[in-house]
Structure formats: structure tokens, C-alpha cells
Amino acid sequence: MATSLKPGGFISVNSQIGHSTGLMKTFPIANGYNTNIFKGDLVKLGTDGTVQKVTVSTDYPMGVFAGLYPENQGRNPSAYWVAGTSVTAGGTTTMINAMVITDPGAVFEIQADGSVSVGDVGANFEVTVGTGNTAYGISTSRVHASTRTDALGANNGVKVLGFSTRAGESPTDAFPYLLVTLNNTQLF
């Protein structure tokens, strides 16, 4: 039962188009990029073609950060992208690759920061971008419960498809876990 707010960002649970979880692609993170990116954070494609954290609700995400590409983890052993990381290999500056869930049908579980009712299924909500948890490397982003709307606009980051089926969770919880899909993505 979610009686307290303990957001963990976007957690991929399945896909509406037949995959067990959202499909991932790799994209580079600019060497020295100066913002932490946590697992479960919304990310966008910058004008230079690199992954950047979505920092305001009006940014259009391309997907959800799922971690660093395995071959790069030795160079940056943290569970998340640490702001300002500079990487060199053999004396040459290099980029680290991020794994990003870009599946347009991906379904994510995410906690709401207040009550959401069964009547809100199908509605759109904004996402509150979190600062992240450095101890665990996970996002603290959450659905902003008071922003419910049926209209689809630039700020409405997610559409509610239902509620978590985790044992002990209920739509009537004070801070329910929702099943959502992304609206208005950069790539689709």
C-alpha cells in the first residue's frame, strides 16, 4: 500500500505492441555533460544528437533512461550518469553510450504524488521532474496528480492506462502507482 511518496521514476513493465518490455536504443552522452541522469528519468535528444535529461515539463522526451551501455560501465561505474563525467580512453576523449527505452508502445509504472482515481484512466498528466537518488542511482520523477486533463497539450507528459498490479497496491492508495505511456515524444 503506497501510503508515502517514494518515487522511483519510470519503470518499464511491458509494451502495448507485443514486446515484454520497451525496446531500447543506444545514444551518446556528451563527454562532460553536466547534469545527473538517473535510471527512470525522461531524456531528450539534444541539438547535438546527444542524450540530455528532460528538465522542464514542456520538454518533449525521446524516451526513458535505462542505464549506461554495458561496455561503458567500467569507465563510469556509477548506476547513473554522474554530472560532469569526463572520459578518456588511450588519451582520447570519448563519449559514453546511454540505453534509452524509445518504444512508442512502452508501458511504465510510476508513482503519483497524490490521489488518482479509477475515473482518471485515459486522462493526461504532467510529470514532476525529480532530482534523483544518488545512493541508488534512480530517478525521483513522479506524476503530478493535480494536473489531470483530458486535453493533450505540450505539458501533458503521460497518459494513464491503469494502476499497478503489485501485491498490496490499490487505486485508492494515497500515492498510487500508475501504468502510463508517454505522450508527445521526439521520435514518434
Side-chain angles (χ1 to χ4, degrees):
M1 176 178 270
T3 57
S4 62
L5 183 61
K6 295 179 184 176
F10 288 84
I11 301 166
S12 178
V13 294
N14 64 30
S15 176
Q16 299 179 86
I17 55 178
H19 310 290
S20 59
T21 58
L23 297 174
M24 286 187 264
K25 294 184 184 221
T26 58
F27 296 89
I29 301 174
N31 199 26
Y33 178 64
N34 204 25
T35 301
N36 289 333
I37 308 175
F38 295 92
K39 185 174 183 178
D41 272 342
L42 291 175
V43 291
K44 64 183 180 178
L45 197 58
T47 57
D48 62 354
T50 63
V51 169
Q52 298 174 358
K53 181 177 177 175
V54 165
T55 56
V56 295
S57 64
T58 54
D59 282 343
Y60 290 101
M62 73 165 166
V64 173
F65 182 75
L68 300 173
Y69 192 67
E71 73 179 32
N72 298 142
Q73 289 189 17
R75 298 183 195 150
N76 185 1
S78 175
Y80 64 96
W81 173 260
V82 178
T85 299
S86 183
V87 180
T88 57
T92 304
T93 300
T94 186
M95 288 190 185
I96 297 291
N97 286 313
M99 296 184 302
V100 179
I101 300 169
T102 59
D103 180 356
V107 177
F108 300 95
E109 182 179 272
I110 186 168
Q111 191 174 28
D113 64 6
S115 65
V116 176
S117 73
V118 173
D120 291 327
V121 171
N124 301 299
F125 290 85
E126 291 180 23
V127 173
T128 300
V129 177
T131 56
N133 180 320
T134 57
Y136 298 105
I138 59 172
S139 172
T140 55
S141 293
R142 58 214 170 265
V143 168
H144 190 50
S146 67
T147 61
R148 180 201 193 283
T149 182
D150 292 326
L152 184 59
N155 297 348
N156 307 127
V158 296
K159 178 180 286 295
V160 174
L161 302 176
F163 292 83
S164 173
T165 55
R166 286 189 207 188
E169 297 298 328
S170 168
T172 60
D173 289 347
F175 304 98
Y177 286 90
L178 308 173
L179 298 178
V180 302
T181 190
L182 300 179
N183 291 329
N184 302 324
T185 64
Q186 282 181 312
L187 302 179
F188 300 100

